[in-house]
Amino acid sequence: MEPLRELLGSNHRQTLEFFLLGLREVSAPDVDHDELLYNASVLAHFAQSSTQSTEDLPTPAHLGAVFDAYVLDTSMREDSGMMETAGAQCLLLAGYFEDQMRRRHTIRWYADLGAGFYRRAAATESQARKARLLRAMGSHFESWRQRHAQLSRELRDRPYLLGPPRIM
């Protein structure tokens, strides 16, 4: 049973490494390392988060939920952490899940919204290094969104990410 558990389970580090390698494959060699690591961590976080979570903020199931939570409700506009979360949710849904979201939502509009969330997060962030990263995410949002979408498509096109189990 132990080999099966190892095959089916993954920890945060393994998930982060999986997305880091995937994003590296769809990025130019000169891509900023901090941005690459940040984007891999966004994907790893959401890969391990539920849309039904009651402990943390649940992962939104669609872009309309992001609109409802962060555009209609203006109370969090000065909260850097919440604006970063909103930007990351737009990145996930308009990027990695672009093909699914495109049927109901205007991706370009949500990409602009996500970039704006990151810029707002940077403007209210007190730590200089993190503010620089958030500003970069706001500026490079569209290129990262496209990389997320490309990675998603490439992963769907691979017939097996895991090889068949070895019979011992």
Side-chain angles (χ1 to χ4, degrees):
M1 189 64 167
E2 208 47 47
L4 184 58
R5 181 175 297 137
E6 186 177 309
L7 179 65
L8 296 176
S10 65
N11 62 31
H12 184 71
R13 182 181 177 90
Q14 291 167 321
T15 306
L16 178 63
E17 288 174 355
F18 173 82
F19 285 112
L20 185 61
L21 290 172
L23 284 171
R24 195 175 279 145
E25 287 178 12
V26 298
S27 299
D30 63 342
V31 71
D32 182 85
H33 180 72
D34 288 342
E35 289 180 47
L36 179 69
L37 188 56
Y38 177 84
N39 277 275
S41 72
V42 165
L43 289 172
H45 167 78
F46 287 120
Q48 296 180 314
S49 299
S50 171
T51 59
Q52 303 300 313
S53 178
T54 56
E55 296 172 15
D56 294 323
L57 282 175
T59 301
H62 54 83
L63 286 163
V66 175
F67 180 85
D68 292 346
Y70 302 103
V71 176
L72 291 180
D73 180 355
T74 61
S75 66
M76 296 179 272
R77 287 192 178 165
E78 301 307 314
D79 184 328
S80 179
M82 293 307 292
M83 290 295 96
E84 179 184 2
T85 297
Q89 290 176 356
C90 283
L91 188 58
L92 173 75
L93 295 171
Y96 196 80
F97 292 105
E98 174 188 18
D99 293 341
Q100 294 88 334
M101 295 296 123
R102 185 172 296 289
R103 295 180 191 121
R104 292 185 49 207
H105 304 283
T106 305
I107 298 300
R108 180 77 239 154
W109 189 84
Y110 278 97
D112 290 343
L113 189 64
F117 286 143
Y118 273 116
R119 285 191 295 272
R120 184 174 290 278
T124 56
E125 175 57 51
S126 60
Q127 296 177 8
R129 184 171 184 228
K130 183 153 187 190
R132 276 193 302 278
L133 177 61
L134 294 172
R135 256 191 311 281
M137 287 303 300
S139 296
H140 306 142
F141 188 93
E142 181 56 22
S143 59
W144 282 111
R145 188 197 69 73
Q146 289 176 14
R147 287 181 192 112
H148 284 228
Q150 182 180 352
L151 176 60
S152 175
R153 289 181 195 111
E154 288 183 11
L155 290 174
R156 271 181 286 161
D157 290 343
R158 293 181 190 173
Y160 299 102
L161 290 177
L162 303 173
R166 288 187 235 160
I167 300 175
M168 297 184 173

